[in-house]
Amino acid sequence: MPPVTKPGREKYDIVFIGGGSGGVAGSRRAASYGAKVALIEATDKLGGTCVNVGCVPKKIMWHAADIAEKIRHAEGYQFKGPGIGNPQFSWSTFKPQRDAYIRRLNGIYDNNVAKEGVELHHGKARVLSPSSVQVTRPDGTTYTLNTDRVVVATGGRPTIPSDDEIPGASLGINSDGFFDLEEQPRRVAVVGAGYIAVELAGVFHTLGSETTMLIRGDTVLRTFDPMLGETLTNWMKHTGINFRHGAHVKKVEGTKGQELTVHLESGETLKVDTLLWAIGRHANTEGLGLEELGVKLDKKGNVIVDEYQETGVPGILALGDVAGKALLTPVAIAAARRLSNRLFGGEKFKNDKLSYDDIPTVVFSHPTIGTVGLTEPEARKKYGDENVKIYKSSFRALYFSMIPEEHKEPTVHKLVCVGPEERVVGIHIIGLGSDEIMQGFGVAVKMGATKADLDNTVAIHPTSAEELVTMR
């Protein structure tokens, strides 16, 4: 069902701005309770970052890279024949295939929104008051939606330095641009050490691009448990990814889409075909008119909200990446659904809200990472060294038993426990299958599991996951 071209109602119960994960989830949940709902999306595609230029196409690219690794490993399992041990990946034919799947998802999102009775509007939104939102359509015409509440769920976008800050910075691409690449670059430099930098560098490298990471510190993933960053950095180096530590880009020269020369402050230069900036993200709050209405933003431009997603201006709420906390798709979805539950779900949900504690997440690196709860330094700071006990195990997954030593990925599992009851407040794992292992153990941490609870669970053998219930 295409977007409407004018308001279908005189007044709505709630208007969601932003057709990404949070806006779609919240609008559908509100409509399921019978609320009169409008959803405004500036682009012609629903799904936001996650569906279009984030989680979904990223995971598809990770799967492609994972298959390349499996083809290299196949020799160890005595597979023979053309291509074994030497994968040949066609980026140029895979991209349109991947894009077609994403377009199919866009259509599913459109159908789901229409099925719930959400009125979809295509245009740029500006909040005129807590009870009115102006929509500017692509042709420049405007109209106003009257509403009881407004929810800002406009997400965020990748940050790139300006050419004033770093001359030639715009010759590089960001994570959005990664998905626009028609051909696989032969040489790549990735600036950044966070999970987006790690994931995309891993895909490039595993599919055969010569990859260099430009990072400021000693390890990647500095906000994660130190064990994870140290283990992954060492393995990435072992596999052939080049690292420049303490690296600061001074300027970039060349022509976009052709060879670039990256000048570092150290005096070193790098010749690359693609420079990818993965140095963070910032909120999409410009042009919404929020500050004029008294909505407070922090210094990064994120909307400041309380535990109920309220901005402090009655009738205006915000959730998801635009609120700057736990920038993850499932977080936006969970916050949006709970908000709609609270507003329209009746007595049962009158106090519903999302707890931002113990949110599990994974990094689709090579190997994958799973993490939930407090890091070891966070636990020691919160509870004191004397009240923290660490359980740790390092091993190689059985899968690698048939594979040459130099290709055996590390697996490390860590439990962070506190108090005499040894309550598990953090689990951090890296190694084959960590992405799928983490969800179930996230439930355990959320329920307050102790080390004894894990010990009392019978192991599943032979798996990597069993190590988490057999550590001593």
Side-chain angles (χ1 to χ4, degrees), residues 30 40 43 46 75 109 111 129 153 164 180 195 204 220 227 270 310 313 322 332 334 341 351 367 378 410 451 470:
I40 307 168
T43 73
L46 288 180
E75 285 182 310
Y109 269 63
N111 291 336
S129 75
D164 290 334
D180 291 331
Y195 78 93
F204 276 131
V220 297
M227 175 275 290
L270 299 173
E310 304 271 0
V313 176
V322 78
N341 286 347
N351 296 314
E378 287 170 345
K451 178 64 166 60
T470 57

Side-chain angles (χ1 to χ4, degrees), residues 65-193:
D66 186 53
I67 289 170
E69 284 192 322
K70 296 294 190 290
I71 293 171
R72 294 186 185 103
H73 295 160
E75 285 182 310
Y77 278 88
Q78 297 307 311
F79 283 86
K80 310 293 184 183
I84 295 298
N86 185 30
Q88 303 296 309
F89 177 69
S90 175
W91 186 296
S92 61
T93 53
F94 188 69
K95 179 188 182 296
Q97 181 181 336
R98 183 196 72 213
D99 292 349
Y101 177 74
I102 300 306
R103 285 194 299 273
R104 179 169 163 262
L105 288 186
N106 295 141
I108 291 171
Y109 269 63
D110 289 342
N111 291 336
N112 286 341
V113 164
K115 190 166 58 180
E116 295 284 5
V118 175
E119 193 175 277
L120 177 60
H121 297 256
H122 180 199
K124 292 184 178 179
R126 183 175 182 84
V127 185
L128 302 178
S129 75
S131 59
S132 61
V133 181
Q134 183 185 72
V135 179
T136 301
R137 288 178 40 76
D139 64 6
T141 60
T142 63
Y143 54 80
T144 300
L145 307 181
N146 299 309
T147 180
D148 288 334
R149 297 179 182 89
V150 178
V151 179
V152 179
T154 47
R157 63 186 186 277
T159 301
I160 284 190
S162 70
D163 285 341
D164 290 334
E165 296 171 284
I166 299 177
S170 62
L171 295 171
I173 63 172
N174 57 25
S175 57
D176 291 0
F178 171 86
F179 299 104
D180 291 331
L181 290 172
E182 299 287 347
E183 301 282 347
Q184 181 175 353
R186 186 170 62 85
R187 301 162 300 174
V188 180
V190 177
V191 185

Side-chain angles (χ1 to χ4, degrees), residues 21-82:
S21 300
V24 168
S27 62
R28 290 183 62 196
R29 180 60 59 90
S32 74
Y33 289 121
K36 300 168 185 172
V37 185
L39 173 64
I40 307 168
E41 168 56 33
T43 73
D44 59 356
K45 298 173 184 174
L46 288 180
T49 295
C50 179
V51 169
N52 295 293
V53 287
C55 339
V56 178
K58 179 271 304 287
K59 181 73 182 289
I60 290 173
M61 294 303 292
W62 180 89
H63 278 306
D66 186 53
I67 289 170
E69 284 192 322
K70 296 294 190 290
I71 293 171
R72 294 186 185 103
H73 295 160
E75 285 182 310
Y77 278 88
Q78 297 307 311
F79 283 86
K80 310 293 184 183

